[in-house]
Amino acid sequence: MSNMIINVKVTDLKPGQVIGETIFDKHGRPLLCKGVKLTPSHITRLLARDYIEYVKIEIPYEEASKGIIKPAESIKNIPPIVHQKLGQFFKKARHIDRLEEKAVEELADDIHPLIETIFSSEPSILDNLQLLSGHDDHTHEHSWTVMLISLSTLRAAEILGIYRPTEEDKNSLAMGAVLHDIGKTKIPLKVLNKPGKLSPEEWQLMQQHVTFGYQMVKDTPNLMPLSKAVVAHHHRFLDGSGYSAQGVQDLESIPNHVRIVTIADIYDAIVSERPYHVAALPYHALKILYQGADKRFDKRFIDALSHAVAPFPMGCFLLYKDGILAQVEEIPKKEKDNPVVRIIGTFTEKYTHLLGKTFSFQNPPMGLPTEDTLLLGSYSPMGLADKTKGALSLGKVRKDLLGTEEPSNLYVLRSFDDILHKAFSFLFASKEKEEQPAKS
Ligand SMILES: [Fe+2]
Ligand SMILES: [Fe+2]
């Protein structure tokens, strides 16, 4: 089977892994070439370079199905150096009260080539940006991703004839998006990174990030008013709900820039892995956004975003109603919304005849699961099992989710045997526990 490229954090590298794309140093000199098999000393050398965070590794397709799928970032030609500089920018932002003109200039210079890249080509499909999130320094990763999503949405809007952006639009959107949560640098880290639910007081403090942010940017003369509006209003929705910065003038209508960043912001939150929630597939994130279309969100820009993203990442795992487990096996080039799916497992014997069958997601033949029966999706079997656990704890009906009240077995394709049984062992573990006292 063919190989695929995944992003692996430098700290997670293992000897024997094969480099999928040549790694360059700060000065553009190749450090390790594509195809090289990693040795322990390679890894030590990579770890010593703190500007290298992720490395592209080539793995056989079957490996990806074992739950380590972390697909590669898909906008090509974006130099990692911009991403790294942004990290330094956010670190510094913790110690300033007002954004200096020079910082804006530098940021704009760094971002400019990125705008060129996104607007000079066919829209790149943003299939896997969620990987960059879930990092310790969340604000920096999130800001970077929201900027890429916002720009790609604007580019798609242009291509679809929804909106014709000027150069100034592109620049002010990019700056607004990258700075939208700058006020979070003023929120104490223990609140910002709290894994559980926030208390009402903490939540109130968190909401103030728009006010803190607006205070930081409002007097910066070379930052465009639309970028400032994004900072102040990105939590204000079309129907007037939500919140804006205190002390900022009310809006007559919400500018397009703000509408785009609001959508990109929420999209990123849904598809990102966070300590308190498992990443959702872009397919489900778009569904959630569409539920608020033209109430909270501008539908035109959800349409544009859905044009720019791949709803199903290659290799992701799905749970259909009645406990049918499937994996996305192929994404046709011209039909990114209609992947080829293979049935890999079931909790009931009555569907075992479906095991191994492939079908196209939107037009399944009779007897195979239809799109409206798709319940959950995740990047790995573990993620899918976590989501199933979550749905059960929220009171979802066991029979709907698993096809049976009490699953006694999980029937799976051989290649998924270990990983699926391990992931879903929680369903069977409780039963064994109950049985144990009876035996003794
Ligand atoms: Fe925000
Ligand atoms: Fe945000």
Side-chain angles (χ1 to χ4, degrees):
M1 248 194 232
S2 58
N3 288 347
M4 61 190 295
I5 306 287
I6 59 167
N7 264 345
V8 176
K9 245 187 165 171
V10 174
T11 45
D12 293 339
L13 289 172
K14 309 244 167 6
Q17 286 177 323
V18 177
I19 299 288
E21 197 179 293
T22 301
I23 307 168
F24 296 93
D25 72 3
K26 259 191 196 155
H27 312 286
R29 292 174 300 220
L31 273 177
L32 281 172
C33 290
K34 182 176 174 351
V36 166
K37 219 179 208 179
L38 282 175
T39 62
S41 81
H42 287 144
I43 298 175
T44 318
R45 271 166 55 203
L46 287 171
L47 281 168
R49 289 167 209 264
D50 57 0
Y51 55 92
I52 301 176
E53 256 185 291
Y54 289 94
V55 167
K56 291 192 166 34
I57 292 292
E58 199 177 312
I59 56 159
Y61 180 74
E62 300 94 306
E63 293 262 311
S65 65
K66 289 188 186 146
I68 53 163
I69 182 165
K70 281 188 183 159
E73 183 192 344
S74 61
I75 295 184
K76 300 279 179 266
N77 309 322
I78 292 180
I81 192 81
V82 180
H83 185 217
Q84 288 145 22
K85 276 191 179 169
L86 198 62
Q88 288 152 16
F89 173 83
F90 276 96
K91 256 186 211 142
K92 276 195 209 143
R94 300 205 153 270
H95 311 290
I96 57 162
D97 294 325
R98 177 179 165 272
L99 193 63
E100 297 295 331
E101 281 163 87
K102 196 163 174 296
V104 172
E105 244 168 62
E106 281 176 14
L107 206 54
D109 283 348
D110 287 339
I111 289 172
H112 193 71
L114 213 134
I115 299 176
E116 297 260 282
T117 305
I118 292 177
F119 279 85
S120 65
S121 56
E122 272 296 292
S124 318
I125 299 298
L126 296 170
D127 46 1
N128 293 304
L129 286 168
Q130 89 297 333
L131 172 67
L132 290 169
S133 296
H135 190 266
D136 315 336
D137 183 1
H138 172 66
T139 306
H140 144 222
E141 299 290 354
H142 168 69
S143 305
W144 165 260
T145 313
V146 168
M147 176 179 63
L148 294 182
I149 297 170
S150 299
L151 285 171
S152 302
T153 303
L154 187 65
R155 171 64 171 149
E158 180 182 61
I159 285 172
L160 295 172
I162 294 170
Y163 185 76
R164 197 181 293 164
T166 61
E167 281 310 303
E168 197 173 307
D169 281 329
K170 297 173 195 170
N171 292 323
S172 53
L173 177 72
M175 288 300 277
V178 81
L179 295 172
H180 80 281
D181 274 341
I182 184 88
K184 284 198 179 163
T185 56
K186 303 292 167 220
I187 306 281
L189 283 172
K190 75 171 199 304
V191 176
L192 202 60
N193 294 335
K194 186 174 168 180
K197 233 179 149 193
L198 296 181
S199 71
E201 296 76 34
E202 289 168 335
W203 184 235
Q204 221 169 23
L205 177 64
M206 195 67 138
Q207 291 196 346
Q208 284 197 48
H209 78 277
V210 290
T211 303
F212 298 149
Y214 183 62
Q215 291 300 332
M216 289 170 84
V217 301
K218 73 178 181 12
D219 297 322
T220 306
N222 58 344
L223 190 65
M224 284 163 276
L226 275 172
S227 308
K228 294 178 185 174
V230 169
V231 176
H233 299 290
H234 66 273
H235 289 284
R236 173 73 67 203
F237 302 117
L238 274 192
D239 60 6
S241 61
Y243 56 93
S244 297
Q246 285 151 18
V248 68
Q249 251 190 333
D250 262 353
L251 291 170
E252 255 177 51
S253 87
I254 298 176
N256 286 324
H257 290 54
V258 177
R259 297 175 187 210
I260 292 174
V261 175
T262 301
I263 289 171
D265 186 29
I266 293 178
Y267 175 84
D268 182 54
I270 303 172
V271 301
S272 296
E273 195 84 34
R274 298 277 167 82
Y276 45 90
H277 88 101
V278 180
L281 298 181
Y283 176 81
H284 290 110
L286 288 169
K287 283 233 141 147
I288 293 170
L289 285 168
Y290 272 117
Q291 281 166 10
D294 287 341
K295 287 174 249 149
R296 303 176 93 193
F297 315 118
D298 190 329
K299 181 174 173 294
R300 297 173 306 157
F301 296 123
I302 313 177
D303 290 341
L305 172 64
S306 75
H307 188 79
V309 299
F312 296 99
M314 176 73 171
C316 67
F317 294 84
L318 308 174
L319 173 69
Y320 283 96
K321 197 171 158 34
D322 291 339
I324 297 172
L325 296 165
Q327 188 186 31
V328 166
E329 198 166 80
E330 194 189 320
I331 316 237
K333 261 218 162 70
K334 294 225 161 85
E335 272 193 301
K336 66 183 176 62
D337 301 356
N338 193 14
V340 177
V341 173
R342 181 186 294 275
I343 298 199
I344 58 168
T346 158
F347 293 95
T348 56
E349 210 172 344
K350 71 173 172 187
Y351 291 123
T352 47
H353 64 285
L354 297 181
L355 285 178
K357 287 219 167 24
T358 56
F359 58 99
S360 87
F361 176 74
Q362 289 178 353
N363 343 82
M366 274 284 276
L368 287 160
T370 52
E371 180 174 354
D372 59 323
T373 61
L374 176 64
L375 299 174
L376 302 169
S378 191
Y379 291 85
S380 67
M382 285 298 176
L384 192 63
D386 277 350
K387 283 192 167 287
T388 308
K389 209 187 281 178
L392 288 171
S393 71
L394 288 172
K396 287 272 171 351
V397 179
R398 248 174 130 83
K399 185 142 190 353
D400 282 350
L401 281 180
L402 309 170
T404 158
E405 265 321 314
E406 254 346 296
S408 55
N409 201 350
L410 174 55
Y411 308 88
V412 288
L413 284 186
R414 219 153 114 214
S415 47
F416 293 94
D417 208 22
D418 288 354
I419 185 78
L420 282 177
H421 274 106
K422 198 166 146 208
F424 285 93
S425 61
F426 73 93
L427 286 171
F428 308 101
S430 61
K431 216 179 145 204
E432 277 161 26
K433 258 186 227 152
E434 281 163 26
E435 278 169 6
Q436 260 164 17
K439 275 181 207 159
S440 60

